[in-house]
Amino acid sequence: MSDSCSLLHVLHEDEDDRHFEMGDYQGPTARWCSGCGDHSVLAAAQRLLTDEQLKPETTVFVSGIGCSSRFPHYMKTYGFHGIHGRALPVATGVKLTRPELDVFVVMGDGDCVSIGAAHWIHALRYNVDMVALLLDNNIYGLTKKQTSPTTPQGYKSNTQPRGSYLPAMNPLEATLGVTNASFVAQTAEWVPAHLFATLKAAHQHRGFSFVRILQRCPHFTPDMYSEAVKKPALVQVLTHPEGIRVEGLEQLYPNQVRHDPADIHAARELAEDASVIRLGLFFRDESRPRYEETRALGKHTAREKIDLLNEEFERYAV
Amino acid sequence: MPSDTSSGNGVGGVVAPALEALAARLDAFHSAVATAEEELRSFVAHRRGASEYRAEQALVELGPFAVGKIAPDRFASILLDLEELTGEAEQVLDRAEYILSAFATERDMHVVTVEPGGDLRDAVREAFTQMGQVFGAARAVELARAGLFDPDQHNRFLSALPFRKWNRAERQLAPPLVVELDPDDLLPTGLGEFLDGQVKIVLVVRGMTTPAPLARLITPGTYVVQTADPADLTGLAVSPHPGIALLFDQERSEQARFLHDPEAGASPWERLTIRHLPDRPEVGRGRRPPRWLEELEHLEMLARRPSTDTLPGTASALAGEAGTAPAQTAPVDQLAAWLLSQTNVGGG
Amino acid sequence: MKLPTVGVETPTDREVSVRRVTDISVEIVSDSGEGAQKCGQIFGSVSAKMGNGVWTVEIIPAEVEPPPRNPAGASGIRIRLGDREVTNWGDETDVAVAFNEQALLGRHRLNALAPNATILLESMWATHPDPSVRKQWEEAMEELSDREYRIIEVPMEEQCLTVVDNPRRGKNMFVLGLLSWIFDRDLERARDQIGHAFRGKKAEITERNVQLLELGYAWGAEHLDFRYEIGTLEASAPMVVMNGNEAVALGAVAAGLELAAMYPITPATSVSHMLGEVFERYGGVVHQAEDEIAAAGVAIGASYAGRCAFTITSGPGLALKTEFLGLAVMAEIPLVVVDVQRGGPSTGLPTKVEQSDLLAAMFGQPGDAPHVVLAPATIEECFHVMTTARRIAEALRTVVVVLSDANLATGVAPFPRPALSPEWQAAPPDQRPIPEGVKPYDWDPRTGVSRRFIPGQAGGEHTLTGLAHDERSKVAYDSAINERSSTMRSRKLLAFQHTLIAPEVNGDAGGGDLLVVGWGSTRGAIEEAVARARAQGMSVSSLHLTFLSPLPPGLKEIFGRFRKVMTVEINYSDKKGDPFVTDHNRRRGQLSWLLRATTLVDVDCWTRVLGEPLRPGRILQAIRENMPGGTR
Ligand SMILES: Cc1ncc(C[n+]2csc(CCOP(=O)(O)OP(=O)(O)O)c2C)c(N)n1
Ligand code: SF4
């Protein structure tokens, strides 16, 4: 709640003793392919909102363009389905001027890592309090199977039929290299408990929470994560009391490594090593400055502004 | 005679800095009221009366640049048709606007003086009740413009609204209060009921008081400070917790100076910083110790870090973790129980 | 005093001639960093305070630190004074002060100096120890001698050294003193203005500058033989004096705009500097984004969230914002975009004026993206336009592009101090719940206008989208929906057009031989030229357009009353008679293109892209050349 809001709305807000069920956040049936990993992310987000009892009217999902960016349409909150690659600036504008809103950003890998790369880097640095989800299916889905920056080298697509020419970009490594990044996690949509716990931690973090979600696209890249889904040994879970804790996960995923999310150097090493898929909280630092805090809109009434402006005119008076 | 020497620098001299220190809260309150008023005014302006007026409004809103370029009547005609106000709603809104505009600029109601011999708690309650008009007016506006205002039920909103009727959001916006009073009238324990939301109260006292009158108001979620330096009030103003301060007119060795900040830690001894503790008086044999000695003892007790090996399991109880009632044996457990009993007002 | 090396007779008998003028231009030119601009600004302010009409414009080299003593690096300022309101920078300069002969040469080559200009020139270079400098001097004098300039050598440096150690930091105030004597300026006001200009600096600095001012004044009194007398106008209302960018910035505050998102670009940047200085004191935020795209995105995000936001840029930045502008139009998000135009295409002429973004601003967004484009014509309008633009953007839920340009951005002129009104500022975001049944795009079928939903309004939850959508903001899979929503967005513009008032003809509303049509910053120069032409008996009038999209009503009718209609613009057009140019294939000025398309009138154009504001004298010549039936 922000004091800058008028008294009137504050009152209105408080009068309600609503309780929200999952259904209160569910929009129309999602039109993704069956088996698409985006479905699980949607379910996890809806569960998170229920868990946190976020008000639908003060929650905003901002996205770009892509299969994954259809996300807001399937929520019953406010949504902004903008243009390709530019979800982050829009979300920044929303949160900067209305800090009382809960802001989530949903991007695909083309959206975030390719066309929106500049905004991604800078959003990490602004560290505005919001949750940014990168739904990484390693391919362009909506436009039908073109190579994305995260497509593994050698992987064939419609634009690079002889296989992707370059090594895939590693979004975690890039993210952890940005000054003022404050929350970096990776999860996989096929491990719902971990996905949910990660979203929850990301939402609770005060600052820009970047979550890369490994996402299956059965339509175009059915083989991409099939091994990892079948063989939990290929997945290593980062554990720490300060990290993302999921009870009982060690039974499914016995391959675990302890990692203190305060340790940026260890985080970078873990992120760099691509020999295994790592899920967990790589890094968190709540002490990093948040742009919207230092840049909060002041609270001046029209009349106060006029008084100040009149003072300013004195400097220009003839 | 310390209180005499300070007369040139008496209560009056401390009220102003106290208000100053609370400026952020005052601003938050005033600007919320002013914004509400502005919004109300534009709401009414947009809906009131004839199309002529709407054209005038369009002319003003478009500014001088549009003069001779845009026809205001035609511009008004493409704006959305808004629901017209009923006469009744208009009356309610007028009255509410009157109240809001009065409060948007007033500065005097935030200072209350307790007449010698008066009741501190009554004075605070009355002040809040009066200022509650703002919240009542805002509620009336919300109802009226939603077409839900029922005079029988809601007229009460257009007069005073006692603190106990304020909702959570209103308590968050609560106007700060500075209370001047005589040392003899300083019975602050009755103020606990007001320490909620973002209520900030500064008691300004001239002369000698008991050493730690506010000690009893310390709860895990309340910001409490006793000081002679107005600069110490800044923390009170910005704390997200309700808070109360006792501002002395000067430093005296008989008056304790301390700060309890809920954000500073989980246990009382982490949250409490004692800057000065008076010496305990010699109590002659067979004589009853003065009542205020308890205040000091209470303060000392809160500040003491228990050695955990002698009192197993107390650390978590002291941390104010609500839920389980600790066994009522050790004194420190009694303290914990007392603290827990107070947490409902703190909302920490 | 040195004798003049070029020009006419020497003042020996110290007889001072006083010339009465109604209008005069002064230029001060130097290497950059020598403070010529500050000198000119103070001179302009003092003159404005004394009641003259004033227009000052900076002469800015493209580089930050061009090599010294270089004709291309001339940096400085022109001040035009009048006995009435001055609306443009005028023609040639009558009096010039040059800190070196190369800077002067630069102005000479651009034909900025009147053929009989009086020039005060720093004399030190003539006797400089470096022979190559002396040689340059001689060559310059040779080149300058083809005009009737009267060049008076002034030992500026020598004089300044009597007061300061580093004359580079003092000549400008000495020159201010000289000009103050020549134009009989009030020294007390000049001292005041110096104090103002150096506020925050040490008192000695102000003192030293005042000393230099007095030195220059005394030197002038002792050595010069000419002075000017210029009438003043009655100031009826209190005035303020500022440039167009400052006016935009303060206007944004007056309009209640809360967020300015931008990426630095000349000549728009100074708005952000100004905002950075003052905006945040009013509760606004200036967001310097990572690029212009992000700046547009942040402004759109803020506006979507119910705040009033704008973004400010110049041509190259406008190009980057294109996709976002399309989104704002499509999703009906209010947005004000200020484009301070410069020369283009590409990086073009970063510091110089052009009016070449008109069509890009209107049609730059792929797809049909109807929105409002308007152009302030004066510095005063730069202030007030912000309120109107914001109001239109919000009322219509659309994009409003404000086209300023480098001429307005850097021109400084006084205007009546605005009487501010709280009604100019938008109300805070409406947070009341949305009544059941109201949809996010409940287009009023008559006007296409719909009610704006803002996050926080319960019951209004929906996903806004740049995809074609229906009233409920649901993605349209049905082409009929696209047709209908396109119609609604266009209808808003039509409805708005219907509120516009036909512009007034300056001259003969009843018609005549020639109608000159202009837009934006050229108004002052065009009207001055028309006034002169009419004084010479030509049947010419002018019409100035503020709204370019939609165009105001009545144009075709007005055009019909004139034998010939011609736009005057600062953008490129092919010249008649050039190789290959025919009436058919000729590429025309942007406004003329637009007017021809919308009115089917054969609107001709006269345009130039010289990287400077149009000179009234040049427009006058164009009028003469284009009078139907030839009035030559
Ligand atoms: C400016 C622009 N360029 C290109 C496109 C076409 N386009 C739409 S989505 C997309 C990539 C989608 O891939 P990704 O972001 O990975 O999301 P996914 O569909 O896989 O979820 C592209 C190239 C566009 N809409 N806009
Ligand atoms: S194409 Fe792939 S990413 Fe897109 S919806 Fe289908 S499965 Fe999901």
Side-chain angles (χ1 to χ4, degrees):
Chain A
M1 184 189 331
S2 129
D3 297 346
S4 64
C5 259
S6 157
L7 205 52
L8 302 180
H9 317 311
V10 171
L11 295 174
H12 173 79
E13 269 175 35
D14 196 63
E15 293 282 283
D16 78 58
D17 42 11
R18 293 172 292 169
H19 176 83
F20 303 104
E21 306 288 341
M22 205 61 163
D24 294 320
Y25 301 110
Q26 288 167 340
T29 314
R31 284 177 171 244
W32 292 304
C33 307
S34 70
C36 175
D38 293 348
H39 290 289
S40 337
V41 184
L42 181 68
Q46 288 166 345
R47 202 180 134 204
L48 174 75
L49 266 58
T50 320
D51 220 52
E52 304 272 298
Q53 285 292 298
L54 301 187
K55 290 181 194 152
E57 72 270 20
T58 54
T59 306
V60 185
F61 277 81
V62 183
S63 66
I65 294 291
C67 292
S68 40
S69 288
R70 290 284 177 117
F71 200 100
H73 286 282
Y74 310 137
M75 298 291 300
K76 225 193 269 168
T77 63
Y78 276 88
F80 190 115
H81 180 203
I83 54 179
H84 193 34
R86 320 289 174 199
L88 288 168
V90 171
T92 302
V94 172
K95 187 71 183 179
L96 199 55
T97 52
R98 294 283 305 278
E100 74 276 21
L101 299 175
D102 263 296
V103 179
F104 294 82
V105 183
V106 184
M107 299 168 286
D109 39 311
D111 216 31
C112 173
V113 183
S114 191
I115 189 169
H119 311 309
W120 168 40
I121 303 298
H122 288 277
L124 285 161
R125 182 168 162 260
Y126 296 141
N127 193 29
V128 171
D129 187 13
M130 60 175 82
V131 177
L133 307 178
L134 163 57
L135 274 56
D136 193 349
N137 56 4
N138 301 355
I139 201 81
Y140 286 4
L142 189 72
T143 44
K144 300 193 165 63
K145 201 175 185 183
Q146 295 85 17
T147 304
S148 117
T150 61
T151 304
Q153 188 167 19
Y155 198 93
K156 294 191 171 79
S157 77
N158 286 329
T159 41
Q160 303 191 349
R162 282 167 295 285
S164 166
Y165 310 117
L166 294 170
M169 178 147 177
N170 178 341
L172 292 179
E173 224 184 318
T175 302
L176 286 163
V178 178
T179 312
N180 215 36
S182 74
F183 183 106
V184 183
Q186 176 158 282
T187 182
E189 71 29 55
W190 65 88
V191 193
H194 193 270
L195 170 63
F196 174 74
T198 308
L199 294 193
K200 182 132 180 158
H203 181 249
Q204 281 168 358
H205 172 71
R206 300 217 299 168
F208 186 80
S209 315
F210 178 80
V211 183
R212 180 188 185 207
I213 305 174
L214 305 177
Q215 177 233 321
R216 288 168 298 174
C217 168
H219 197 84
F220 291 122
T221 61
D223 45 341
M224 189 76 74
Y225 291 117
S226 51
E227 280 294 283
V229 175
K230 272 184 263 162
K231 297 189 195 137
L234 296 178
V235 174
Q236 188 177 59
V237 179
L238 308 185
T239 62
H240 194 273
E242 292 290 310
I244 288 156
R245 287 188 283 179
V246 186
E247 222 155 290
L249 194 66
E250 63 281 0
Q251 276 147 32
L252 265 167
Y253 291 94
N255 181 1
Q256 302 215 334
V257 62
R258 197 180 155 88
H259 165 65
D260 179 357
D263 185 346
I264 182 93
H265 300 293
R268 286 181 184 147
E269 268 169 38
L270 287 171
E272 217 176 78
D273 167 22
S275 62
V276 60
I277 292 176
R278 293 205 169 84
L279 308 184
L281 181 57
F282 283 75
F283 181 66
R284 172 175 54 210
D285 179 358
E286 284 221 311
S287 69
R288 306 239 155 157
R290 284 184 285 128
Y291 186 70
E292 84 276 21
E293 249 189 344
T294 47
R295 312 282 294 157
L297 282 184
K299 300 162 194 162
H300 289 288
T301 63
R303 281 200 213 108
E304 283 170 328
K305 284 190 202 168
I306 287 179
D307 290 346
L308 287 161
L309 205 49
N310 271 324
E311 255 171 54
E312 193 62 33
F313 277 149
E314 288 306 317
R315 283 184 50 191
Y316 297 91
V318 178
Chain B
M1 295 293 281
S3 60
D4 280 352
T5 53
S6 70
S7 54
N9 173 30
V11 165
V14 188
V15 168
L19 271 178
E20 182 116 325
L22 292 171
R25 294 300 309 158
L26 271 175
D27 285 353
F29 176 72
H30 283 130
S31 94
V33 177
T35 317
E37 188 213 343
E38 241 169 62
E39 189 179 346
L40 173 56
R41 200 159 4 89
S42 106
F43 175 85
V44 173
H46 280 104
R47 281 167 184 74
R48 183 171 277 162
S51 56
E52 253 165 80
Y53 182 77
R54 289 188 58 193
E56 258 170 57
Q57 181 72 14
L59 177 73
V60 183
E61 284 180 356
L62 284 164
F65 180 84
V67 173
K69 300 185 180 95
I70 300 176
D73 50 338
R74 280 181 262 157
F75 188 78
S77 80
I78 66 163
L79 299 179
L80 286 184
D81 282 330
L82 300 164
E83 328 81 74
E84 292 255 324
L85 286 176
T86 62
E88 194 174 67
E90 217 172 301
Q91 265 180 354
V92 172
L93 294 177
D94 277 350
R95 173 85 191 121
E97 190 186 335
Y98 175 78
I99 295 172
L100 290 173
S101 68
F103 275 91
T105 48
E106 70 76 35
R107 290 285 188 273
D108 298 337
M109 292 196 77
H110 303 278
V111 180
V112 173
T113 308
V114 179
E115 294 306 323
D119 186 313
L120 169 60
R121 185 176 173 205
D122 285 351
V124 170
R125 183 191 293 140
E126 179 54 24
F128 279 148
T129 300
Q130 285 311 318
M131 288 194 271
Q133 280 185 64
V134 177
F135 300 129
R139 291 183 192 189
V141 171
E142 285 286 65
L143 291 164
R145 59 184 192 169
L148 300 172
F149 193 91
D150 168 7
D152 292 343
Q153 214 185 325
H154 299 129
N155 263 340
R156 65 192 167 93
F157 287 144
L158 291 169
S159 57
L161 189 74
F163 183 81
R164 86 196 126 74
K165 295 262 171 80
W166 296 9
N167 67 27
R168 191 153 35 92
E170 289 160 347
R171 288 173 189 217
Q172 287 292 339
L173 279 172
L177 206 58
V178 176
V179 187
E180 315 174 64
L181 73 169
D182 278 358
D184 293 345
D185 301 324
L186 183 59
L187 295 167
T189 33
L191 298 182
E193 68 172 281
F194 304 113
L195 295 178
D196 188 18
Q198 282 248 54
V199 169
K200 310 285 161 149
I201 300 174
V202 178
L203 306 174
V204 177
V205 184
R206 183 188 340 162
M208 185 64 79
T209 63
T210 57
L214 299 194
R216 290 292 185 193
L217 289 173
I218 295 176
T219 74
T222 311
Y223 192 102
V224 183
V225 56
Q226 284 194 189
T227 180
D229 180 2
D232 285 346
L233 301 180
T234 324
L236 172 80
V238 301
S239 167
H241 300 269
I244 183 161
L246 176 56
L247 184 61
F248 302 123
D249 52 337
Q250 61 169 235
E251 282 188 9
R252 294 187 190 80
S253 66
E254 297 90 335
Q255 290 170 324
R257 295 191 299 279
F258 66 85
L259 164 70
H260 176 265
D261 181 358
E263 296 281 286
S267 0
W269 53 88
E270 289 170 320
R271 297 191 296 255
L272 188 60
T273 315
I274 297 188
R275 303 219 171 99
H276 170 75
L277 206 57
D279 294 336
R280 290 184 178 228
E282 293 287 331
V283 181
R285 189 187 296 207
R287 295 180 58 186
R288 275 171 60 86
R291 212 176 49 78
W292 50 256
L293 194 56
E294 287 169 23
E295 296 173 2
L296 271 187
E297 281 171 352
H298 182 64
L299 201 61
E300 284 172 6
M301 191 166 64
L302 289 174
R304 202 177 302 134
R305 179 186 291 272
S307 58
T308 38
D309 46 281
T310 57
L311 295 165
T314 49
S316 74
L318 277 168
E321 281 177 17
T324 50
Q328 309 265 319
T329 47
V332 73
D333 281 355
Q334 282 173 12
L335 164 63
W338 177 83
L339 283 171
L340 284 173
S341 73
Q342 301 290 307
T343 47
N344 61 329
V345 270
Chain C
M1 178 189 175
K2 288 253 165 95
L3 299 184
T5 50
V6 185
V8 259
E9 76 283 83
T10 323
T12 42
D13 49 356
R14 292 285 302 126
E15 192 135 305
V16 176
S17 67
V18 177
R19 290 172 226 170
R20 279 162 197 276
V21 289
T22 55
D23 175 16
I24 188 163
S25 290
V26 183
E27 270 190 20
I28 307 159
V29 287
S30 65
D31 287 343
S32 68
E34 291 187 304
Q37 285 157 1
K38 187 161 247 169
C39 167
Q41 282 153 1
I42 297 180
F43 181 69
S45 296
V46 171
S47 301
K49 283 186 191 261
M50 291 178 68
N52 292 124
V54 180
W55 183 282
T56 65
V57 60
E58 291 178 1
I59 300 156
I60 308 165
E63 293 142 78
V64 177
E65 269 194 63
R69 295 181 38 77
N70 184 315
S75 162
I77 189 162
R78 170 184 288 197
I79 309 103
R80 183 178 178 201
L81 304 182
D83 64 352
R84 66 201 72 184
E85 192 191 351
V86 177
T87 60
N88 65 86
W89 78 326
D91 294 309
E92 289 98 11
T93 274
D94 306 291
V95 177
V97 184
F99 289 27
N100 68 61
E101 82 290 346
Q102 297 301 315
L104 180 65
L105 210 52
R107 301 307 292 162
H108 164 78
R109 289 179 187 164
L110 286 173
N111 299 320
L113 310 172
N116 59 350
T118 306
I119 292 160
L120 301 166
L121 177 61
E122 163 69 274
S123 61
M124 63 179 281
W125 312 104
T127 54
H128 198 273
D130 182 343
S132 68
V133 170
R134 293 199 300 273
K135 181 149 180 282
Q136 281 179 332
W137 171 279
E138 273 157 32
E139 285 167 4
M141 289 305 136
E142 179 64 35
E143 187 176 339
L144 292 167
S145 68
D146 69 351
R147 306 274 165 89
E148 294 293 296
Y149 299 144
R150 178 179 180 217
I151 298 184
I152 300 169
E153 289 181 33
V154 182
M156 298 182 193
E157 176 139 342
E158 188 187 301
Q159 284 292 312
C160 290
L161 280 170
T162 64
V163 179
V164 289
D165 307 334
N166 179 2
R168 251 181 88 78
R169 295 235 167 274
K171 270 184 204 176
N172 62 342
M173 290 299 127
F174 177 82
V175 168
L176 180 64
L178 275 182
L179 291 172
S180 295
W181 184 78
I182 295 171
F183 289 92
D184 196 12
R185 302 290 85 170
D186 181 342
L187 273 191
E188 209 33 61
R189 288 191 203 262
R191 286 189 201 101
D192 266 10
Q193 286 293 315
I194 290 176
H196 183 70
F198 294 96
R199 70 191 177 283
K201 302 253 167 69
K202 285 198 217 99
E204 295 107 271
I205 297 190
T206 305
E207 251 164 61
R208 201 176 315 127
N209 281 304
V210 168
Q211 251 178 305
L212 285 162
L213 165 85
E214 286 163 358
L215 182 69
Y217 192 93
W219 195 92
E222 207 174 311
H223 297 94
L224 296 179
D225 64 348
F226 68 99
R227 294 184 92 174
Y228 286 97
E229 195 181 293
I230 183 159
T232 56
L233 69 178
E234 294 281 304
S236 48
M239 307 284 271
V240 285
V241 57
M242 63 183 75
N243 70 35
N245 275 1
E246 289 167 329
V248 164
L250 293 178
V253 179
L257 289 159
E258 295 165 288
L259 177 118
M262 58 89 195
Y263 185 80
I265 185 167
T266 306
T269 320
S270 71
V271 176
S272 344
H273 293 184
M274 173 78 188
L275 286 170
E277 201 183 318
V278 301
F279 206 43
E280 312 217 339
R281 298 216 314 268
Y282 307 114
V285 169
V286 182
H287 173 64
Q288 177 175 334
E290 57 269 26
D291 56 34
E292 280 91 348
I293 301 177
V298 168
I300 284 176
S303 174
Y304 163 73
R307 298 292 185 178
C308 306
F310 76 112
T311 177
I312 176 150
T313 190
S314 189
L318 184 68
L320 288 180
K321 291 178 199 292
T322 300
E323 192 186 4
F324 256 131
L325 299 194
L327 172 71
V329 170
M330 183 59 142
E332 308 197 33
I333 305 165
L335 181 70
V336 175
V337 183
V338 179
D339 172 15
V340 185
Q341 300 167 94
R342 64 190 216 180
S346 188
T347 311
L349 298 168
T351 58
K352 305 283 164 61
V353 64
E354 233 171 70
Q355 296 181 307
S356 299
D357 294 352
L358 174 59
L359 295 180
M362 283 183 70
F363 301 119
Q365 309 74 33
D368 184 50
H371 61 279
V372 176
V373 178
L374 48 75
T378 63
I379 291 167
E380 181 179 15
E381 286 194 347
C382 285
F383 178 89
H384 290 295
V385 72
M386 298 305 285
T387 297
T388 312
R390 198 217 78 236
R391 184 70 192 107
I392 296 170
E394 284 176 0
L396 299 185
R397 293 181 72 176
T398 195
V399 172
V400 177
V401 181
V402 176
L403 293 175
S404 174
D405 64 31
N407 181 26
L408 291 171
T410 55
V412 178
F415 62 86
R417 180 175 169 147
L420 306 167
S421 158
E423 318 280 338
W424 296 354
Q425 303 185 17
D430 186 348
Q431 293 285 272
R432 286 172 306 136
I434 301 289
E436 206 146 325
V438 179
K439 297 176 225 116
Y441 298 99
D442 251 337
W443 295 297
D444 178 338
R446 187 177 61 92
T447 61
V449 176
S450 57
R451 171 181 174 157
R452 181 177 169 203
F453 286 20
I454 291 164
Q457 292 189 282
E461 297 87 352
H462 72 285
T463 289
L464 164 159
T465 177
L467 285 162
H469 51 264
D470 64 10
E471 284 101 329
R472 295 165 305 148
S473 194
K474 296 289 174 222
V475 177
Y477 294 101
D478 172 353
S479 48
I481 293 176
N482 190 41
E483 180 70 36
R484 178 170 140 72
S485 52
S486 298
T487 306
M488 287 299 124
R489 289 190 296 272
S490 186
R491 189 157 300 166
K492 283 195 296 192
L493 214 66
L494 288 170
F496 177 59
Q497 199 269 346
H498 157 84
T499 75
L500 295 181
I501 298 170
E504 254 175 54
V505 175
N506 164 50
D508 299 319
D513 288 341
L514 178 65
L515 179 71
V516 174
V517 187
W519 65 280
S521 74
T522 51
R523 177 180 187 155
I526 291 176
E527 291 187 353
E528 187 172 326
V530 166
R532 284 197 227 164
R534 290 171 67 83
Q536 292 172 18
M538 288 179 249
S539 165
V540 54
S541 302
S542 68
L543 188 73
H544 209 73
L545 299 182
T546 301
F547 283 93
L548 287 324
S549 169
L551 284 164
L555 296 185
K556 188 169 184 150
E557 234 166 76
I558 296 171
F559 293 175
R561 294 182 218 136
F562 291 85
R563 289 173 64 198
K564 173 169 179 163
V565 181
M566 174 179 86
T567 67
V568 167
E569 308 175 61
I570 315 177
N571 49 41
Y572 181 78
S573 62
D574 291 331
K575 283 157 208 65
K576 287 180 243 176
D578 275 2
F580 303 115
V581 175
T582 67
D583 200 37
H584 211 67
N585 66 9
R586 180 178 176 213
R587 297 180 62 255
R588 298 166 193 270
Q590 301 197 358
L591 178 61
S592 77
W593 222 326
L594 200 63
L595 294 177
R596 293 166 70 88
T598 47
T599 62
L600 292 182
V601 172
D602 184 6
V603 178
D604 198 356
C605 63
W606 180 85
T607 75
R608 286 296 179 273
V609 281
L610 298 168
E612 58 170 44
L614 295 179
R615 299 179 188 182
R618 196 62 198 79
I619 300 174
L620 175 61
Q621 196 184 328
I623 288 174
R624 198 176 290 125
E625 287 161 8
N626 281 282
M627 286 308 285
T631 321
R632 306 176 175 228

